[in-house]
Amino acid sequence: MAAASSLLSEDQFLCSICLDVFTDPVTVPCGHNFCKNCITEHWNINVQCNCPMCKKLFRGRPELYVNTVISEMAAGIKEISSSSEKPGAKPGPVLCDVCTENKLKALKSCLVCLTSYCETHLEPHHRITGLKRHKLIDPVENLEGRVCKKHERPLELFCKTDQMFVCQVCAVTDHKLHHIVPLEEEYEGKKAELGKTEAEVQQMIQERRLKIEQIEQTRKLSKEDADRETADSVQVFTALIQSVQRSLAERIDMIQEKQKATEEQAEGFIKELDKEISELTKRSAELEQLSHNEDHLQFLQSFPSHNPAPTPKDWKKIRVYSSCERTVWTAVAQLEETLSKELKKLCADAELKRVQQYAVDVTLDPDTANPYLILSDDGKRVECGDVKKNLPDNPKRFSSCAVLGRQSFSSGRFYYEVEVKRKTKWDLGVAGESVNRKGENTLCPENDYWAIWLRNVNEYRALAGPSIRLFLRSKPERVGVFVDYEEGLVFFYDVDAAELIYSFTGCNFTEKLYPYFSPCSSDGGKNSCSLVIS
């Protein structure tokens, strides 16, 4: 039956008097069903016994019969209903405590009467003078909990000293010297404190959401870096494998060529030796024949012509060497040196290609340029002239021979290249937004400059404070500058040689960074070429 009840609507098992699921359902003679207590109370109030549903009048109070089928199904409905209730569900409305049959929704609760009233039963509190002084609040459950148990007065005050609710009598007796405030004041204070806490919580939520975005971005960049590293590693190791295979093939060809030369030399020596053996054998036969001649005169006449000819070669000094004798270790050492050079070049190429993926479009900012500097219309070239231009001396303009890029960077990675060929001196790097732009500047990380320079045609230095002399294998014609803001890295590359010139690591960037350029003075035309952003 319980299973069947789950297929029926709960409305079919509601008592028409209490409007709730049947409790001890009984059937009246007309066939309608009611809760036993509900129909009994109904007949107790009304003189005539009739059916509340169809209004059929009975001569006397009829005998009630328990409806077992409805009872079982109603019990199933209640069980299903209770199991489906969600925890934390909102409570129902507060009902009037005075209403007897159909309780109406309460309009106010009285803290003096400890009773909740609907609009009708609340009317005396608006009319009677004594009741008007009662404390009315919005309807609430458990009114007893809002009254002082000791003095039976409303809890209208709050003791901040003991952190507890008190009534007017408590305030002048047990809490006489304590810090007492009205509930409204404590409410407003706590509400303000709650608002502040909520704002702090919202701020923490925003910070954590931002952190999630940063972590997601880092994870994305890490995935991209991993993919690039994988591709670069495959390229480098494939090139190394091909180099080893190529070296092996060349080595095998060289061994075979040497072996072929050794065989040809050996065959030549053997042929020569066979010829000499043949001649010596013939000579031996002649000598043996002469030795058997007993004619003294003929023997002596023939003897001078049979003297052995001098040996054309001293074969003891002639030797054929193995083509591979003690050469494999030399070949391995040479291969190791070759691979080391090639590995460095391949890694440098891969590293340069990796940072070049962060290339940005950089142009020069004329508002920061020293008046002697000449900038191209597209903002890609700068050189130092001999004539000072009449320009406003704004705070952003350098008094030294320098200029910044228009673009600023306060996160992520960026890369740009500058052509420096045919110049005898220059400065390149990045600078912080708040660097001193007036007077002589010492370029170093402590002053928010991360730069390198060229002086005296071939003297390169990293301006690390103090500066570090750089010994380069070739004179760079294009210099690449790469910055990783979060990691605190600034790298300088010789682009054409694919070699790292210098790296600043562990930098602490706290503000916007700008590309920094100085073509330096023209030096009487010796350094007149432009710096070109490529």
Side-chain angles (χ1 to χ4, degrees), residues 221-500:
L221 291 175
S222 177
K223 177 66 168 57
E224 293 173 356
D225 287 345
D227 292 341
R228 280 192 293 269
E229 287 293 332
T230 300
D232 292 343
S233 298
V234 170
Q235 180 182 359
V236 168
F237 280 89
T238 300
L240 287 176
I241 292 170
Q242 291 174 347
S243 179
V244 171
Q245 291 174 338
R246 186 167 56 252
S247 297
L248 177 60
E250 291 172 356
R251 174 70 180 160
I252 292 173
D253 289 342
M254 182 191 69
I255 293 172
Q256 290 176 346
E257 288 177 3
K258 284 187 176 182
Q259 176 61 22
K260 183 178 179 181
T262 300
E263 288 181 358
E264 290 177 353
Q265 183 187 41
E267 288 177 1
F269 286 157
I270 290 172
K271 286 180 181 180
E272 193 174 346
L273 287 169
D274 285 341
K275 183 179 179 182
E276 290 187 5
I277 289 172
S278 178
E279 291 176 354
L280 290 173
T281 301
K282 180 180 178 183
R283 188 65 174 164
S284 176
E286 292 176 352
L287 293 175
E288 184 179 1
Q289 183 179 0
L290 180 60
S291 66
H292 292 295
N293 191 344
E294 295 180 355
D295 186 339
H296 298 168
L297 179 61
Q298 189 179 13
F299 177 85
L300 293 174
Q301 288 176 337
S302 303
F303 186 81
S305 61
H306 291 285
N307 287 334
T311 303
K313 286 186 179 181
D314 184 3
W315 290 99
K316 293 180 181 180
K317 297 180 180 180
I318 295 176
R319 182 179 176 187
V320 177
Y321 292 94
S322 169
S323 61
C324 300
E325 186 176 358
R326 291 191 303 274
T327 60
V328 65
W329 301 115
T330 303
V332 170
Q334 291 174 347
L335 177 61
E336 183 178 3
E337 182 179 356
T338 301
L339 288 179
S340 179
K341 292 179 180 178
E342 190 162 351
L343 179 60
K344 288 181 180 179
K345 186 176 185 308
L346 288 170
C347 289
D349 287 341
E351 173 66 15
L352 184 58
K353 288 179 181 177
R354 185 182 71 83
V355 300
Q356 284 176 333
Q357 297 183 35
Y358 300 100
V360 294
D361 184 21
V362 173
T363 54
L364 301 170
D365 183 1
D367 291 338
T368 66
N370 178 275
Y372 280 96
L373 295 183
I374 302 172
L375 276 60
S376 62
D377 292 338
D378 62 359
K380 293 290 187 179
R381 290 173 171 269
V382 59
E383 62 186 68
C384 188
D386 298 325
V387 180
K388 182 178 180 180
K389 295 190 288 294
N390 185 19
L391 298 173
D393 187 20
N394 64 65
K396 296 169 60 178
R397 194 177 304 283
F398 281 89
S399 59
S400 59
C401 187
V403 61
L404 296 181
R406 286 182 182 272
Q407 294 73 22
S408 65
F409 306 90
S410 56
S411 64
R413 303 164 182 170
F414 63 94
Y415 171 87
Y416 61 94
E417 293 179 0
V418 184
E419 187 178 298
V420 297
K421 63 183 178 182
R422 295 192 299 275
K423 291 191 68 63
T424 59
K425 53 184 177 179
W426 48 258
D427 304 348
L428 286 176
V430 292
E433 183 178 28
S434 63
V435 293
N436 180 25
R437 308 186 187 195
K438 308 300 179 182
E440 292 297 325
N441 276 327
T442 300
L443 304 188
C444 62
E446 287 73 14
N447 294 333
D448 288 339
Y449 288 96
W450 293 267
I452 63 173
W453 74 14
L454 167 66
R455 295 291 185 272
N456 305 320
V457 182
N458 58 7
E459 182 183 336
Y460 296 91
R461 285 187 177 273
L463 307 178
S467 64
I468 300 172
R469 181 72 183 270
L470 304 175
F471 298 94
L472 309 182
R473 292 193 296 179
S474 60
K475 185 178 175 66
E477 294 189 350
R478 277 190 303 159
V479 175
V481 183
F482 170 73
V483 177
D484 187 325
Y485 195 96
E486 280 74 22
E487 294 296 328
L489 305 175
V490 182
F491 290 177
F492 296 88
Y493 294 92
D494 180 343
V495 177
D496 298 307
E499 292 182 348
L500 181 67

Side-chain angles (χ1 to χ4, degrees), residues 110-114 133-137 143-149 151-158 165-170 183:
C110 178
L111 293 179
V112 178
C113 304
L114 298 182
R133 291 194 293 268
H134 288 191
K135 179 72 173 179
L136 298 177
I137 61 173
L143 285 169
E144 292 80 4
R146 294 173 176 267
V147 175
C148 176
K149 296 180 179 179
H151 304 108
E152 296 184 354
R153 299 288 297 275
L155 298 172
E156 299 175 307
L157 304 173
F158 184 79
F165 301 105
V166 296
C167 68
Q168 294 285 355
V169 178
C170 291
L183 283 182

Side-chain angles (χ1 to χ4, degrees), residues 161-225:
T161 305
D162 292 334
Q163 290 292 301
M164 63 183 295
F165 301 105
V166 296
C167 68
Q168 294 285 355
V169 178
C170 291
V172 296
T173 56
D174 300 339
H175 302 266
K176 185 175 182 180
L177 300 178
H178 292 183
H179 185 192
I180 306 295
V181 297
L183 283 182
E184 291 82 357
E185 181 179 333
E186 181 66 14
Y187 166 79
E188 293 298 332
K190 291 297 184 184
K191 189 173 182 180
E193 184 180 332
L194 182 65
K196 182 180 178 182
T197 303
E198 185 179 2
E200 292 174 353
V201 170
Q202 289 298 325
Q203 177 65 24
M204 289 191 288
I205 290 172
Q206 288 300 113
E207 290 173 355
R208 279 150 183 77
R209 284 175 177 169
L210 180 60
K211 192 65 178 179
I212 289 174
E213 291 178 4
Q214 292 175 348
I215 293 172
E216 289 289 351
Q217 181 66 16
T218 302
R219 182 168 66 177
K220 180 182 177 183
L221 291 175
S222 177
K223 177 66 168 57
E224 293 173 356
D225 287 345

